[in-house]
Amino acid sequence: QRATLPAALSAGCRSGGMASPVQKVGPLVEDWSCLDVARWLKGNGFGDNTTSFLANRIDGQCLLEMTPDAMKDIGVNGGAARRKLVKLIDVLARRDSSMGGTAGEGGGSRGN
């Protein structure tokens, strides 16, 4: 069952479907497929959440836009887990920004 994501998340987050696992992906998070996001989640101790992220087609761009409320809506349980995930995503966004990506251009906050 797919959760309804808040309107604050761009429609493009869920529009593209899943990329092939053999598709070449750039180093920028904003270019990650849904499967890349799932691998990253698993590698960072959030393997229990990969199913809901995949079901909601959370790709790299959408990941960078995730807020604690959006995480709660798709089933990331526990405030501490959401706070940790927000911090990890912020690290990714800063890395993307330093590599020339658009992750840091909005100036908004994910709200801790």
Side-chain angles (χ1 to χ4, degrees):
Q1 179 179 357
R2 286 178 58 153
T4 302
L5 293 177
L9 293 178
S10 69
C13 294
R14 297 177 297 166
S15 64
M18 305 248 278
S20 164
V22 297
Q23 177 179 350
K24 184 173 175 151
V25 176
L28 295 175
V29 177
E30 63 191 40
D31 296 331
W32 287 3
S33 70
C34 301
L35 292 175
D36 294 318
V37 170
R39 282 188 214 98
W40 177 82
L41 287 167
K42 188 174 180 180
N44 282 284
F46 288 91
D48 292 347
N49 298 108
T50 58
T51 301
S52 61
F53 274 69
L54 286 168
N56 285 282
R57 296 189 195 144
I58 306 297
D59 61 10
Q61 183 62 47
C62 192
L63 179 70
L64 292 171
E65 297 174 8
M66 291 293 285
T67 64
D69 287 338
M71 291 176 200
K72 186 176 183 179
D73 289 345
I74 66 167
V76 179
N77 297 318
R82 288 190 295 273
R83 284 188 297 275
K84 180 180 178 185
L85 193 50
V86 164
K87 286 180 183 182
L88 290 169
I89 293 169
D90 283 341
V91 169
L92 290 175
R94 284 193 303 272
R95 189 198 73 183
D96 261 22
S97 183
S98 72
M99 293 173 62
T102 59
E105 293 180 0
S109 171
R110 258 180 268 310
N112 294 328

